[in-house]
Amino acid sequence: MKNEMDLLKMTEARRLAWLKANRITLIIVGVVWIGMIGWYWAKYGPPWFLIACVPVFALFRLCAYLLYKKRLPTEEQRESGN
């Protein structure tokens, strides 16, 4: 399956830079999310929806990881080139 890195014909160095940019973006989004929870809590009380979304997103990410991991070729398939 092609991804955006394939479509943009990135070199390995550019792929690594892209993945690092994705990682820092996720970290910043997480920090902002925590800030939103803290701000809302201080102003209005516990933001149950925002708090409930944290484990929901974590579960989604775990399921996506397990699905993608399951689709990876086995060691024998990689060695044979299939």
Side-chain angles (χ1 to χ4, degrees):
M1 171 177 25
K2 287 196 178 241
N3 59 30
E4 66 274 12
M5 294 183 289
D6 296 329
L7 294 174
L8 295 172
K9 297 179 176 123
M10 292 183 177
T11 64
E12 286 303 312
R14 288 185 178 179
R15 286 175 181 263
L16 182 59
W18 182 264
L19 292 172
K20 286 182 177 182
N22 284 344
R23 182 185 306 157
I24 194 66
T25 301
L26 284 174
I27 290 169
I28 290 172
V29 168
V31 169
V32 169
W33 192 275
I34 291 168
M36 289 170 47
I37 290 172
W39 174 81
Y40 193 95
W41 200 319
K43 195 163 183 146
Y44 303 110
W48 296 117
F49 176 75
L50 292 175
I51 294 170
C53 284
V54 173
V56 169
F57 290 147
L59 180 62
F60 174 78
R61 185 174 181 158
L62 175 65
C63 290
Y65 167 73
L66 294 173
L67 176 70
Y68 288 134
K69 186 178 89 168
K70 189 176 188 180
R71 290 181 167 193
L72 286 174
T74 63
E75 190 66 36
E76 296 83 30
Q77 290 171 330
R78 282 192 293 256
E79 289 174 1
S80 68
N82 291 335

